[in-house]
Amino acid sequence: MRLAAECEGRLKTRMSSVERRRYKISKKKNVTGEIILITGAGSGIGRLMAEKFARLGVSLDLWDVNQEGMKETARLVKEKGATRVHHYQCDCSDKAEVYRVADQVKREVGDVSILINNAGIVTGRNLMDTPESLIEKTIEVNTMAHFWTYKAFLSVMTTNNHGHLVSVVSSAGLIGVNGLADKSPTMHVCA
C-alpha cells in the first residue's frame, strides 16, 4: 500500500493543473441498463468492481479463468442486489477462446456496452528466476488480451455510437518495481 501511495504522489506532482482538471470527473455516469463485462472477475479488483456495479441496475458478465472464484463473485453480487448476472470461464490469453466466449455473450446476453479489461497476472519473481513460459503468459494476459477483447466488442460499440473501454493497469507500468520484471512492461504498454 505504501508503494502505491508513493507512486500516486509522484504522479500527481508530475501532472500539470490542466492535466489534473482533464482527469477530474465532474458527475457520475448513470449505468442503469448497461451490459458490463469484467475480465478477471473471479477475485481482487474484478470482484470488487462487480460488487460496486451490483446495485446499479446493470447486466453483469463476469469472465475469469478461475471457475470457482467467478462463481463466488456471481453469488456475492446477487446477494448485493444484482439480478442479471452471467459468468463465463475464459482464458483471456487465448485469442480463439476470447472470440468464442464473446460470441456466446452476444448471443445469450446482448451487446456489451462497457468492457472492463481487468484480468492480469504477475509472477512476483526476479527476471532471471522467471521461466520464459511465465513471461510469455504474463504478456499474453496483461497485454494481448486487451487487443482480443477490444476486437471482439469495439465494432458494435462504434456502430451503436455507445460504449466504453476500460483498461485496469498498475502503477508498476510507470516505474520499475523489484520482483515485477514481467508485469511492469505489460502495464506500461496498456497505460
Side-chain angles (χ1 to χ4, degrees), residues 44-185:
I45 294 171
R47 178 176 286 168
L48 292 172
M49 284 189 290
E51 289 180 34
K52 290 288 186 184
F53 282 116
R55 292 187 180 101
L56 300 179
V58 302
S59 176
L60 282 171
D61 295 325
L62 311 174
W63 283 19
D64 206 295
V65 70
N66 175 356
Q67 183 76 8
E68 292 307 311
M70 190 174 38
K71 285 181 181 178
E72 177 64 10
T73 300
R75 184 188 67 74
L76 290 169
V77 297
K78 286 176 184 175
E79 282 180 3
K80 293 187 181 284
T83 57
R84 293 169 294 170
V85 181
H86 311 271
H87 53 87
Y88 302 87
Q89 186 169 18
C90 184
D91 178 354
C92 292
S93 70
D94 183 336
K95 175 177 47 176
E97 188 170 339
V98 167
Y99 293 158
R100 180 186 59 74
V101 178
D103 287 341
Q104 186 179 355
V105 167
K106 291 171 191 175
R107 280 191 316 275
E108 295 176 2
V109 184
D111 294 334
V112 170
S113 53
I114 300 176
L115 168 62
I116 302 175
N117 271 311
N118 170 69
I121 60 173
V122 62
T123 64
R125 300 178 183 184
N126 290 321
L127 178 64
M128 299 309 289
D129 298 330
T130 307
E132 285 83 4
S133 61
L134 287 179
I135 294 170
E136 290 170 348
K137 189 68 168 179
T138 302
I139 292 168
E140 291 165 359
V141 174
N142 295 2
T143 303
M144 299 311 296
H146 290 251
F147 293 103
W148 312 147
T149 56
Y150 293 161
K151 284 183 64 92
F153 296 106
L154 183 58
S155 64
V156 172
M157 291 180 188
T158 303
T159 299
N160 294 340
N161 195 29
H162 179 79
H164 298 278
L165 302 175
V166 180
S167 178
V168 177
V169 297
S170 167
S171 60
L174 300 173
I175 61 169
V177 178
N178 187 29
L180 299 181
D182 58 335
K183 183 174 182 170
S184 290

Side-chain angles (χ1 to χ4, degrees), residues 21-39:
R21 280 194 304 273
R22 182 173 63 186
Y23 292 109
K24 184 178 179 185
I25 299 171
S26 57
K27 67 177 188 172
K28 292 184 178 182
K29 177 177 176 55
N30 181 354
V31 294
T32 303
E34 301 286 355
I35 298 175
I36 300 175
L37 189 152
I38 304 172
T39 68

